[in-house]
Amino acid sequence: LSGSEGLSPKKIFQILDALSSSLEELKLDSVAVTGHGLPLFLAFLSRLQDARQRAERTFCLRKMIFAEQSVGPQEAMSIFPLLLPSLQILSLRGNLLGLEGMGGLAEGFRNGKASSLECLDLSKTGLDGEGMKVLCGAIGETRHAERSLRVR
């Protein structure tokens, strides 16, 4: 649902709710994850998490791509705890997360919510030495068997 210009956040999530349970990859832009879209996105992720916990057949979301400039530090803190548990691939390319956003991602690793993650694209996120230290420390604490961590 990238390029959703002209669609309201409500319509975007009506579409997502109507999709079949075989959805494996999702790409969203800022319309769906900021402003009025953020509470709808968080509610959507909560429904998926609840269904997973009840072992219901639900979305098998394996790959999540956030379009460039669609997620910032504040959104990251809310989104990552709900999003990470099912993902194998997460692309945050081109989203300036800052130390706060990297801290949210690190917390997901620390809490064991990123155990399925195999590939993490952090290119063009403004990741600096401090953010790298926070993230690597969290990965090291959990001994996460990361197969790919692409940082450019």
Side-chain angles (χ1 to χ4, degrees):
L1 292 173
S2 183
S4 56
E5 188 175 330
L7 285 178
S8 71
K10 184 177 178 182
K11 291 214 183 287
I12 290 170
F13 290 101
Q14 286 174 338
I15 293 167
L16 286 177
D17 286 336
L19 290 173
S20 74
S21 61
S22 62
L23 179 69
E24 291 187 9
E25 182 177 326
L26 184 58
K27 181 176 183 178
L28 293 175
D29 62 18
S30 62
V31 173
V33 297
T34 60
H36 295 298
L38 182 60
L40 296 172
F41 185 49
L42 295 176
F44 172 76
L45 292 175
S46 290
R47 286 192 300 278
L48 293 182
Q49 187 176 54
D50 291 345
R52 266 194 313 272
Q53 289 172 349
R54 291 190 308 267
E56 292 178 5
R57 176 136 171 84
T58 187
F59 290 102
C60 30
L61 188 59
R62 306 269 187 256
K63 182 177 183 179
M64 181 72 205
I65 302 166
F66 288 96
E68 292 194 18
Q69 300 179 1
S70 62
V71 177
Q74 292 177 329
E75 294 88 10
M77 294 296 293
S78 303
I79 291 170
F80 293 151
L82 296 172
L83 179 64
L84 286 172
S86 67
L87 292 181
Q88 292 175 340
I89 300 169
L90 175 60
S91 176
L92 297 165
R93 178 183 178 88
N95 289 283
L96 298 177
L97 300 175
L99 187 57
E100 184 181 4
M102 286 301 163
L105 186 57
E107 195 61 31
F109 277 95
R110 207 172 276 114
N111 292 334
K113 294 186 177 199
S115 60
S116 298
L117 200 60
E118 297 172 0
C119 182
L120 177 62
D121 186 349
L122 296 173
S123 54
K124 299 183 181 181
T125 59
L127 181 62
D128 61 8
E130 188 68 25
M132 183 65 92
K133 184 178 178 180
V134 168
L135 187 57
C136 288
I139 293 170
E141 286 175 29
T142 59
R143 299 178 188 210
H144 185 77
E146 197 73 38
R147 291 187 198 151
S148 175
L149 180 60
R150 183 174 38 186
V151 181
R152 292 186 232 179

